[in-house]
Amino acid sequence: VLALLQRCWPWLIWWRDYRHALLPELAGSSIGVVAVILWRFDPVALALAVLPVVALRVAFIAIAQAEERSEAWQRHSDQLEAVLTAGQRLRLQHTQADLLQPLAEAAHTIARASAVTGYLHDEEDATRLKRVVLVPPDAGCPGPAYLPVCAVGAQMQPMDLAGMGVAIPVLLESEGSGVDGLLLLSGDALSLGNDERNTLAILATQAAIALQNARLHERALAQASEDGLTGLLNHRAFQTRLEEEVARAHRGAHPMALLMIDMDDFGAINNAFGHQAGDATLVAVASALSQSSRAQDVAARYGGDEFVVILPETTMADALILAGRLCAVIEALRVVEGGATIGVRASLGVAALPLHAHTREELVRAADQAAYAAKHGRKSRVSRPEEAAIRLDRDPAVLAVQL
């Protein structure tokens, strides 16, 4: 009964005295009861009581809004920090694939996506993009392995992908070079606000510049390692690659061989037909070497009218077979230049590791001795180091030591 009276008492007061003055909901709370009592005895005091309550309410709202703004500023700060961190890492990378990893990680932080898939141009098909990076690596919703270059739609506009639902593409494009790459953001209920879009736009601009620089860097490295006339590896790049292959052969206890190709009577071609015809002959021989060699073989221009071919994991017997085949291909060449048809011949020397050498220098020296033996025999043939009549080196410094 007491509990019932306690519940009914505020309503009895309201019904008796104040039902025409205040809303009935006020009687359901302590503040409402206080307001009713103040309304009856001192209406002015009611205003004094209500004002602090209103002020507190306003203060609470202001505090909540300040917390929201603080969270928004913190969120924006984290996004900019992700962009700056990615920028610092971009300066330490060189290849486009290496650059895409920090970019995908930064986009994952900015957009709070479940997964970010990074794409670059496919080397085998210029009309499509190839998946290169996935952040996080164990994401359950990676993007498709390939995407068409022209089908990604507008920048940061949602697109439907089979098996992924809605995904948002971020194009990495620069002026003059088109789309260099793509970041595909995916996740449940993924949405981008203005701050996220603006920050991703900054990241995309920074990424496009870095990717373009990486592409130019890779092109410069390729040009620095190529012979300007034939397109094969130049002498310096050949020495580096041969050192790598010799080390790999020693680690795996694999055989390897080296072919030295020395053009026969090349000076006569220059004297009779001119240097332009000589250049055309070198280009024809280089093309024949590239087309006739195996996929794992490495052809290079050693210098002047000499070429070399690195034969990884190849025994001496197999190397002699390949050398005979190349010798026949070169002899079958006919170079047409200035109305003249030029025949080509070459002498080939073959040396193998570890049969004839143990180091890079020794292998080159043995192959050179074999080519020297072939050239000073009946030419246009294949020789081994053992066939050299005089085992003297052609390098004056080494020859002095031998003497």
Side-chain angles (χ1 to χ4, degrees):
V1 173
L2 180 60
L4 181 61
L5 291 175
Q6 288 177 346
R7 290 185 181 181
C8 296
W9 177 75
W11 288 100
L12 293 175
I13 295 177
W14 173 79
W15 179 260
R16 186 184 63 193
D17 299 315
Y18 317 115
R19 65 179 180 273
H20 300 296
L22 299 173
L23 295 175
E25 286 79 2
L26 291 176
S29 64
S30 301
I31 295 178
V33 174
V34 174
V36 168
I37 295 173
L38 291 176
W39 177 263
R40 179 177 182 184
F41 294 100
D42 192 351
V44 177
L46 177 61
L48 297 177
V50 170
L51 286 177
V53 176
V54 174
L56 286 175
R57 176 60 177 170
V58 172
F60 289 149
I61 294 175
I63 292 173
Q65 292 176 346
E67 290 178 352
E68 292 178 358
R69 286 194 298 269
S70 177
E71 292 177 357
W73 279 109
Q74 183 63 40
R75 173 68 181 156
H76 193 54
S77 175
D78 293 341
Q79 294 172 355
L80 294 179
E81 184 179 356
V83 173
L84 293 176
T85 302
Q88 293 174 353
R89 294 179 61 185
L90 293 182
R91 291 181 300 192
L92 303 176
Q93 310 292 344
H94 294 292
T95 67
Q96 290 185 318
D98 292 337
L99 291 173
L100 206 58
Q101 181 68 32
L103 294 174
E105 293 175 358
H108 182 261
T109 301
I110 294 170
R112 290 179 289 187
S114 299
V116 177
T117 310
Y119 293 84
L120 290 174
H121 278 288
D122 186 10
E123 296 179 355
E124 299 178 356
D125 188 352
T127 63
R128 67 182 184 180
L129 299 172
K130 181 181 180 180
R131 184 177 66 200
V132 178
V133 172
L134 177 62
V135 176
D138 57 349
C141 52
Y146 297 96
L147 282 176
V149 174
C150 57
V152 293
Q155 174 77 301
M156 284 186 269
Q157 294 298 322
M159 54 187 293
D160 291 328
L161 292 176
M164 284 188 61
V166 177
I168 299 178
V170 179
L171 301 181
L172 310 179
E173 54 182 339
S174 56
E175 296 182 3
S177 62
V179 177
D180 295 310
L182 171 71
L183 297 177
L184 193 63
L185 315 179
S186 58
D188 298 333
L190 178 63
S191 62
L192 300 179
N194 291 332
D195 289 342
E196 286 80 5
R197 289 179 177 272
N198 293 335
T199 308
L200 286 173
I202 296 173
L203 179 67
T205 302
Q206 186 174 352
I209 296 174
L211 290 174
Q212 187 177 19
N213 291 338
R215 185 174 63 253
L216 295 176
H217 180 71
E218 292 174 355
R219 185 180 304 171
L221 287 179
Q223 292 175 349
S225 63
E226 288 182 359
D227 176 64
L229 177 63
T230 62
L232 301 178
L233 292 181
N234 57 26
H235 182 90
R236 185 186 65 179
F238 157 71
Q239 295 287 0
T240 302
R241 184 63 182 271
L242 181 61
E243 184 74 31
E244 295 173 354
E245 291 297 335
V246 168
R248 191 169 70 89
H250 284 313
R251 287 196 305 268
H254 300 306
M256 68 165 294
L258 180 67
L259 300 184
M260 181 76 72
I261 300 101
D262 194 346
M263 305 286 295
D264 292 335
D265 302 322
F266 183 73
I269 295 176
N270 283 329
N271 294 333
F273 304 101
H275 290 282
Q276 189 171 358
D279 290 345
T281 302
L282 294 176
V283 171
V285 172
S287 178
L289 292 179
S290 299
Q291 295 176 5
S292 302
S293 299
R294 302 169 301 178
Q296 68 269 28
D297 298 339
V298 181
R301 186 182 180 188
Y302 191 71
D305 59 347
E306 291 182 314
F307 297 88
V308 286
V309 181
I310 304 173
L311 306 175
E313 301 185 18
T314 304
T315 63
M316 186 63 183
D318 292 336
L320 289 172
I321 295 174
L322 292 172
R325 186 184 308 161
L326 285 175
C327 187
V329 169
I330 293 174
E331 192 170 3
L333 287 176
R334 294 295 180 268
V335 180
V336 179
E337 182 64 33
T341 301
I342 305 171
V344 184
R345 296 197 308 168
S347 299
L348 282 71
V350 184
L353 189 80
L355 180 62
H356 302 110
H358 295 281
T359 66
R360 169 178 60 88
E361 294 82 0
E362 292 175 354
L363 186 61
V364 172
R365 188 178 303 123
D368 188 51
Q369 287 178 349
Y372 183 82
K375 195 173 186 68
H376 288 77
R378 56 183 179 83
K379 298 184 179 181
S380 188
R381 66 189 184 97
V382 179
S383 294
R384 304 161 52 102
E386 295 86 349
E387 299 178 28
I390 301 177
R391 297 288 186 94
L392 294 180
D393 199 282
R394 298 168 65 183
D395 186 336
V398 178
L399 183 59
V401 174
Q402 291 179 344
L403 292 175

